[in-house]
Amino acid sequence: MSDIHLGYRGCKAEYLIDFLDTVQCEYLFLVGDIFDLWYMRRKGLYWPQSHNDVIRKILGKAKHGTRVVYIPGNHDEDFRELDGMVFGNISIHNRYIHKTADNKRLLMLHGDEFDNAIRCSKLVAYLGERAYDVLLYTNRWLNALRRRLGFPYWSISTFLKSKVKNAVNVIHDFEQAVAHEARRAGVDGLVCGHIHHAEIRQIGDVLYCNDGDWVENCTAMVEHRDGMLEILHWSDVVKPLKQHPVTDADKKIA
């Protein structure tokens, strides 16, 4: 899993809690942006009980034998200084190689180092983040209306990413860049997050895997016992959960 963004108002913690309650695993990989330190520094501390519960669920899994590997991203980059440290059954790595049950070697990293907007311009990254806040705010209102009308969850951002040419090109360039990095590292494939666009596909000789996010799409990638990889869209798997209403505090996005 990646891009949970705990501490951010758009985090869909209730769906994630349901997922963690349902799934049992030997390994749990947290592939960056688990905490949104950027948002909390800019807007102040936002930490509802549901975000606390996510941490408790993860720690509970670690306590009962699940090996948790935390790979920090750009929104929680402060933790990259702890690379190589181990806390009980939780380890922190900036990069990690996982071998699947069918002997594929997968390089795991968040992927922000291959995002030109972040790497080349902090201002562009900041403006992009603000625009994304507005989009997600609009998405919450739209989906509140859709729930009342009996329609399922729908993501504006995901729709735009699939339809707007520039967004499609950015995703394509990102995928090609990380695939090149996997070839350079001599592995069979790569698992990343960052762009909130879940996908498993072959790019030449590289297996490209992106596990998506828990802000828009509620997706996770799972490995079955035979090594088969699958993307789960948890908001589609379970019935819509009760959502908190949009409050005055949620409206303060600018």
Side-chain angles (χ1 to χ4, degrees):
M1 305 184 300
S2 72
D3 298 272
I4 296 171
H5 290 274
L6 294 170
Y8 176 59
R9 293 185 184 277
C11 170
K12 291 186 169 57
E14 292 83 2
Y15 279 101
L16 180 53
I17 291 167
D18 187 75
F19 174 78
L20 292 171
D21 279 341
T22 303
V23 174
Q24 295 183 359
C25 52
E26 296 178 26
Y27 288 85
L28 176 59
F29 295 101
L30 305 173
V31 193
D33 287 1
I34 306 307
F35 302 93
D36 199 330
L37 303 183
W38 286 13
Y39 182 84
M40 288 188 279
R41 284 170 182 150
R42 178 164 58 86
K43 304 292 287 186
L45 182 63
Y46 173 75
W47 198 264
Q49 182 60 44
S50 60
H51 293 205
N52 239 11
D53 292 342
V54 169
I55 299 299
R56 291 177 60 188
K57 297 291 182 184
I58 293 172
L59 293 177
K61 285 187 177 297
K63 181 179 179 180
H64 290 94
T66 296
R67 183 176 174 185
V68 179
V69 177
Y70 178 19
I71 302 167
N74 53 303
H75 283 256
D76 49 10
E77 61 189 352
D78 293 20
F79 297 112
R80 285 176 168 164
E81 298 178 3
L82 304 179
D83 183 31
M85 297 194 69
V86 179
F87 305 90
N89 217 21
I90 301 175
S91 58
I92 301 176
H93 302 273
N94 291 338
R95 292 187 172 199
Y96 186 89
I97 294 180
H98 168 67
K99 180 180 278 191
T100 64
D102 57 352
N103 292 317
K104 288 187 178 69
R105 295 174 71 246
L106 302 179
L107 173 63
M108 295 191 165
L109 48 78
H110 182 62
D112 57 287
E113 60 263 52
F114 303 100
D115 185 337
N116 288 331
I118 289 177
R119 188 158 51 91
C120 300
S121 173
K122 289 290 185 181
L123 176 60
V124 171
Y126 172 77
L127 294 175
E129 184 184 11
R130 297 299 293 271
Y132 190 57
D133 286 348
V134 173
L135 195 62
L136 289 179
Y137 169 75
T138 305
N139 200 61
R140 288 202 297 274
W141 276 103
L142 175 63
N143 278 288
L145 177 60
R146 286 176 63 86
R147 283 195 301 274
R148 290 187 178 184
L149 297 175
F151 292 108
Y153 177 82
W154 182 73
S155 171
I156 299 175
S157 178
T158 300
F159 173 78
L160 291 176
K161 285 176 183 176
S162 66
K163 298 298 182 182
V164 178
K165 183 177 179 180
N166 285 346
V168 172
N169 289 340
V170 167
I171 292 172
H172 175 268
D173 291 346
F174 175 85
E175 293 173 346
Q176 293 298 321
V178 295
H180 176 75
E181 179 63 16
R183 292 187 191 96
R184 192 190 68 80
V187 295
D188 300 301
L190 181 140
V191 179
C192 62
H194 185 59
I195 60 172
H196 296 201
H197 186 74
E199 190 167 15
I200 300 175
R201 69 185 183 94
Q202 201 72 27
I203 301 179
D205 57 343
V206 171
L207 180 63
Y208 169 81
C209 306
N210 192 304
D211 54 23
D213 68 282
W214 290 85
V215 174
E216 304 169 59
N217 303 299
C218 300
T219 53
M221 190 178 80
V222 297
E223 178 189 347
H224 296 277
R225 293 190 181 276
D226 61 358
M228 185 188 79
L229 302 175
E230 179 184 10
I231 296 290
L232 297 181
H233 292 258
W234 205 247
S235 57
D236 295 337
V237 172
V238 299
K239 64 183 180 180
L241 301 174
K242 181 179 179 181
Q243 299 292 305
H244 296 296
V246 178
T247 65
D248 290 339
D250 290 323
K251 298 176 184 178
K252 298 177 182 177
I253 60 174

